[in-house]
Amino acid sequence: MPPLSILDLAFVPEGSGPADALRNSLDLARHAERLGYRRFWLAEHHNMIGIASAATSVVIGHVAAGTKTIRVGAGGIMLPNHAPLVIAEQFGTLETLHPGRIDLGLGRAPGTDRATMRALRRSFEGADTFPQDVLELQALLGPARPDQAIRAVPGTGTHVPLWILGSSLYGAQLAAMLGLPYAFASHFAPDALLPALATYRSQFQPSAQLDKPHAMVGVNVIAAETDEAARRLFTSPQQNFTNIIRGTRGLLRPPIDDIEAYWSPAEKRHVSQMLSRSLVGSPETIRSELDRLIAETGADEVMVASAIHDHEARLRSYEILAEVHRSDALRHVA
């Protein structure tokens, strides 16, 4: 069975604030560490009142300092928003403080709108130089060269593992060309999942970091004691994605009894398509759906996102998933 990891967007639930969200992220990371999850990643989003991880490297440092063994990283840093040297310094510092535990996933999208891009002092043209920026960042984290004029301090020689994130064939092709591990965001963009994985694996070229393809699949998981309870919890991300379509992003809403009264038929079709790679249900349902996902994708790792309003219910969801995964692993060994 492939290992499980967590993507935490540090959602701010209605009725709380960013401080609560950040405390919950650390508590979830500690919970995940006890349960045996491999990685705990956070993502860069700007100008969104419902997400508290905009200063992603700072939050990664907070989580890494509060845990002991779990790998902590970015899923991801939106490289067009930053100079590669700055990211090399930030993640070189993190790796120096927490050796052997830091990952750096890189995305090509800006993760925000035009007005916020201007506030970040960046431009949309930055996405066009993404491959060159990845190579520059990789060099800054690699060994020092005798003639090297610019060095990341800390950073040089830390060899922080890089990942390419994607939701299309572009990222798959780049990850394959550079010989880097690849993570596909099917938790919100499921359509290109299988073609992207096939492209990545068929075009992969070994590198100093990786000798064979390593594909991570992102998926939503909402687990509860019963299918009915899980489906009710799932109405929080359903509302969240509906609000994205409406252009009314906000805090993570609590679950509701009747999602059909919340969205229009057109919104339902759109959101259901975006969330089609979601595992929602009781332990038995999650087991069946997880087995199907792994068989279909051949995933080397599964990265789980869970937008659950109630923190205790979110902890329990990850606990159920870990129990299912553990029993499946034992079954496969037997």
Side-chain angles (χ1 to χ4, degrees), residues 49-223:
I49 64 171
I51 296 178
S53 56
T56 314
S57 60
V58 177
V59 183
I60 290 170
H62 171 64
V63 171
T67 52
K68 296 178 180 178
T69 58
I70 194 168
R71 297 191 66 90
V72 187
I77 290 293
M78 303 297 106
L79 198 52
N81 296 342
H82 309 277
L85 175 60
V86 173
I87 298 304
E89 291 169 341
Q90 290 177 0
F91 280 79
T93 300
L94 288 167
E95 175 65 22
T96 301
L97 291 170
H98 310 286
R101 294 182 54 210
I102 301 299
D103 296 322
L104 177 48
L106 301 169
R108 176 172 174 258
T112 189
D113 54 33
R114 287 184 179 272
T116 309
M117 284 286 288
R118 287 193 291 270
L120 290 166
R121 303 298 191 265
R122 306 298 288 174
S123 69
F124 276 89
E125 288 69 32
D128 297 333
T129 63
F130 182 63
Q132 293 82 6
D133 288 346
V134 173
L135 289 172
E136 181 179 344
L137 175 59
Q138 190 174 45
L140 286 165
L141 293 169
R145 301 182 303 276
D147 60 344
Q148 186 172 338
I150 304 297
R151 299 190 183 190
V153 183
T156 300
T158 56
H159 301 283
V160 177
L162 301 184
W163 291 68
I164 299 297
L165 315 183
S167 57
S168 68
L169 296 184
Y170 180 92
Q173 292 167 338
L174 180 62
M177 180 181 70
L178 298 180
L180 295 176
Y182 178 56
F184 189 90
S186 50
H187 58 292
F188 69 84
D191 287 352
L193 170 62
L194 297 180
L197 293 179
T199 296
Y200 171 63
R201 288 166 175 150
S202 66
Q203 297 182 13
F204 183 83
Q205 300 178 32
S207 69
Q209 181 176 328
L210 197 64
D211 62 355
K212 61 181 180 179
H214 185 95
M216 177 190 286
V217 174
V219 62
N220 301 293
V221 177
I222 308 288

Side-chain angles (χ1 to χ4, degrees), residues 144-332:
R145 301 182 303 276
D147 60 344
Q148 186 172 338
I150 304 297
R151 299 190 183 190
V153 183
T156 300
T158 56
H159 301 283
V160 177
L162 301 184
W163 291 68
I164 299 297
L165 315 183
S167 57
S168 68
L169 296 184
Y170 180 92
Q173 292 167 338
L174 180 62
M177 180 181 70
L178 298 180
L180 295 176
Y182 178 56
F184 189 90
S186 50
H187 58 292
F188 69 84
D191 287 352
L193 170 62
L194 297 180
L197 293 179
T199 296
Y200 171 63
R201 288 166 175 150
S202 66
Q203 297 182 13
F204 183 83
Q205 300 178 32
S207 69
Q209 181 176 328
L210 197 64
D211 62 355
K212 61 181 180 179
H214 185 95
M216 177 190 286
V217 174
V219 62
N220 301 293
V221 177
I222 308 288
E225 306 305 330
T226 66
D227 287 345
E228 182 181 10
R231 285 193 296 267
R232 188 174 188 277
L233 293 175
F234 190 48
T235 61
S236 289
Q238 287 173 324
Q239 292 174 81
N240 203 45
F241 275 78
T242 302
N243 291 342
I244 291 173
I245 294 170
R246 293 172 180 174
T248 57
R249 295 175 184 267
L251 305 182
L252 183 64
R253 296 173 64 90
I256 54 178
D257 293 328
D258 184 11
I259 188 63
E260 301 301 330
Y262 190 80
W263 54 20
S264 69
E267 290 169 340
K268 177 181 180 179
R269 286 193 298 273
H270 194 169
V271 172
S272 297
Q273 182 276 324
M274 294 176 74
L275 293 175
S276 60
R277 288 285 179 182
S278 298
L279 284 56
V280 181
S282 65
E284 293 75 19
T285 300
I286 296 297
R287 176 176 288 105
S288 173
E289 291 297 302
L290 181 62
D291 287 347
R292 181 188 59 79
L293 175 76
I294 293 168
E296 183 182 18
T297 64
D300 299 295
E301 198 163 338
V302 177
M303 174 70 72
V304 178
S306 298
I308 298 176
H309 181 269
D310 178 72
H311 182 58
E312 293 303 320
R314 183 167 64 147
L315 295 179
R316 179 57 183 149
S317 178
Y318 279 113
E319 189 175 297
I320 290 172
L321 177 60
E323 291 168 353
V324 167
H325 181 264
R326 192 177 302 113
S327 66
D328 269 6
L330 291 172
R331 179 163 51 87
H332 280 82

